[in-house]
Amino acid sequence: MGGRDEEAHEVHEAPEAHISAIRAVSAPARVAEPAEGISHEELALAARNHGLPLEALRYDLTPPGLHYVLVHYDIPAADADDWTLTVHGRVRTPLSLDMAALRSFPAVTHRVTMECAGNGRARLTPRPVSQPWLVEAVGTADWTGVPLRTLLAEAGVELNAVEAVFTGADHGVERSVEQDYQRSLPLADATADDPEVLVAYEMNGAPLPPQHGHPLRLVVPGWYGMAHVKWLRDIALTSTHFTGFQQTVAYRYRQSADDPGEPVTRIAPRALMIPPGFPDFMSRARVVRPGPVRLEGRAWSGHAPVTRVEVSTDGGQSWQDAELASMADRDGHVWAWRGWRTTWTATPGTHVLSVRATDAAGHSQPLDQPWNRGGFGNNLVQRIAVLCLPQGD
């Protein structure tokens, strides 16, 4: 299997015939040609993976069936009754925990907004060829489980440990590398108390659905979705930095194929608006009637709490502050999205509505999105075309 850390898993060198056969079915990463449309392969990915219908932004908690989903390979066959999580590597006492053992630890629940790192990729020019997200790859849930730091304390972390490597049960091929899905976190992040990483077994008070990692997954508040390893079956503490595919090849901010890039980590600030009025079936263009129109939505950031949301109703020429939900109403959910609202007086004609967020660390959404080869971290402001009908219609 390619890209495995020697302390996480034993490395097996694949024979040349194996590598050649894999290359026949697994293409390298590429960027679409200027006039190239969405391919059948991208359409198949879009059919398997789905985003949040933007009208569902009205829910504080996203119903599991509406929460965005990205499955890298297949949803594995998983049975909670015989599931085992192993914790090993640079620990004093290796652990092998079934679901009953995991549930015997004190449980905690964190409300966390999760967003795919590729959200917005399909809006880039030129378009990176991959899952063609627009802006809907997001959702917020209450995740219940055991703090990762609790399990690591139980195992006893050795002094030379530097990273925790997480392995999921989903297996596949990507850019000619056969692999289990694996990601790592620096030990400081893995053992932090804020944000506290969870080994989660419930979503919104019920067992994890299959597409969300049943029976066990990682939840890393503030980080893009690639870090939240699903179908979690193994945690290995290592004394060296993990160099697996999903860490050092995928999920990097690159400008060219040979650019080593910078790692994708925390979620950039973003605000989304519930599209006002009603839609055209095919184009999704919005239609409203003249007069006061309530505009509302959600905003979030993985760096710091959102402190400002601005709305434009004239295509970004001018901006007005929206009203933010009070921090008291959020009940300490600092890693979940924050509601916002304002009122727009619609007049007949066509309009472009936009919204942008700023967080307490000073990060704000750009009006012009810098490009990168993987299409990651694209938090360009949302733009919604709206037709306001003539007076009296």
Side-chain angles (χ1 to χ4, degrees):
M1 305 303 171
R4 292 183 174 182
D5 185 285
E6 63 182 3
E7 293 179 340
H9 292 279
E10 183 181 356
V11 175
H12 300 279
E13 293 296 331
E16 186 60 36
H18 175 97
I19 295 172
S20 297
I22 287 293
R23 285 175 178 163
V25 299
S26 184
R30 69 183 186 88
V31 174
E33 296 297 327
E36 181 181 347
I38 296 289
S39 67
H40 287 290
E41 290 81 4
E42 288 173 290
L43 182 59
L45 283 176
R48 285 185 54 82
N49 304 303
H50 68 79
L52 172 81
L54 292 184
E55 61 270 27
L57 288 166
R58 67 172 63 96
Y59 301 114
D60 286 336
L61 283 180
T62 308
L66 298 181
H67 194 289
Y68 98 91
V69 170
L70 179 73
V71 177
H72 276 80
Y73 308 127
D74 283 350
I75 297 172
D79 185 349
D81 291 337
D82 60 12
W83 196 263
T84 300
L85 174 68
T86 52
V87 182
H88 62 104
R90 300 307 184 187
V91 299
R92 291 188 291 275
T93 307
L95 305 177
S96 181
L97 303 165
D98 61 16
M99 295 303 296
L102 286 164
R103 288 180 177 274
S104 72
F105 290 94
V108 300
T109 299
H110 293 314
R111 184 166 297 179
V112 175
T113 294
M114 195 180 296
E115 182 179 12
C116 185
N119 200 15
R121 174 185 291 124
R123 301 194 300 167
L124 291 176
T125 302
R127 187 185 80 256
V129 176
S130 185
Q131 166 66 29
W133 292 122
L134 295 171
V135 296
E136 301 92 347
V138 68
T140 294
D142 280 346
W143 304 96
T144 300
V146 186
L148 174 61
R149 61 195 180 105
T150 298
L151 297 181
L152 296 184
E154 184 79 7
V157 178
E158 292 186 350
L159 292 178
N160 63 347
V162 297
E163 286 192 351
V165 180
F166 308 94
T167 301
D170 46 334
H171 182 87
V173 179
E174 198 164 344
R175 299 185 218 170
S176 301
V177 179
E178 184 180 353
Q179 60 190 281
D180 295 332
Y181 187 85
Q182 289 183 297
R183 286 280 306 183
S184 73
L185 286 174
L187 191 61
D189 293 295
T191 57
D193 59 359
D194 185 24
E196 185 174 60
V197 179
L198 284 186
V199 175
Y201 44 73
E202 289 185 1
M203 179 184 190
N204 293 355
L208 295 174
Q211 73 273 27
H212 289 293
H214 175 81
L216 206 61
R217 73 171 301 163
L218 203 66
V219 174
V220 188
W223 285 56
Y224 280 114
M226 78 283 158
H228 304 238
V229 177
K230 293 185 282 190
W231 310 291
L232 181 66
R233 60 180 178 84
D234 185 85
I235 302 171
L237 266 61
T238 65
S239 59
T240 58
H241 295 295
F242 178 59
T243 58
F245 178 90
Q246 301 294 340
Q247 203 80 22
T248 58
V249 179
Y251 295 108
R252 312 281 294 188
Y253 292 113
R254 289 189 172 93
Q255 293 302 307
S256 63
D258 58 357
D259 176 8
E262 295 295 325
V264 177
T265 56
R266 291 186 174 273
I267 298 172
R270 188 192 294 274
L272 289 179
M273 181 186 301
I274 298 172
F278 53 92
D280 170 68
F281 169 73
M282 192 67 202
S283 70
R284 308 308 295 175
R286 309 303 297 190
V287 180
V288 300
R289 291 185 170 85
V293 176
R294 181 184 176 96
L295 304 179
E296 59 184 326
R298 306 281 176 174
W300 62 93
S301 172
H303 295 273
V306 168
T307 54
R308 187 181 190 188
V309 170
E310 302 165 273
V311 174
S312 173
T313 58
D314 56 11
Q317 296 181 57
S318 63
W319 297 87
Q320 295 78 41
D321 284 334
E323 178 186 353
L324 286 172
S326 73
M327 295 300 287
D329 292 342
R330 302 185 69 208
D331 196 27
H333 300 309
V334 296
W335 298 105
W337 55 27
R338 189 174 184 184
W340 62 266
R341 64 185 180 185
T342 191
T343 299
W344 167 49
T345 302
T347 57
T350 57
H351 307 268
V352 176
L353 311 185
S354 301
V355 59
R356 67 182 178 189
T358 300
D359 66 28
H363 303 102
S364 188
Q365 289 183 254
L367 300 181
D368 297 301
Q369 176 63 48
W371 184 87
N372 67 85
R373 185 176 173 84
F376 299 124
N378 178 5
N379 65 332
L380 181 69
V381 297
Q382 180 189 21
R383 294 183 171 93
I384 301 176
V386 177
L387 169 65
C388 180
L389 297 172
Q391 195 74 39
D393 281 11

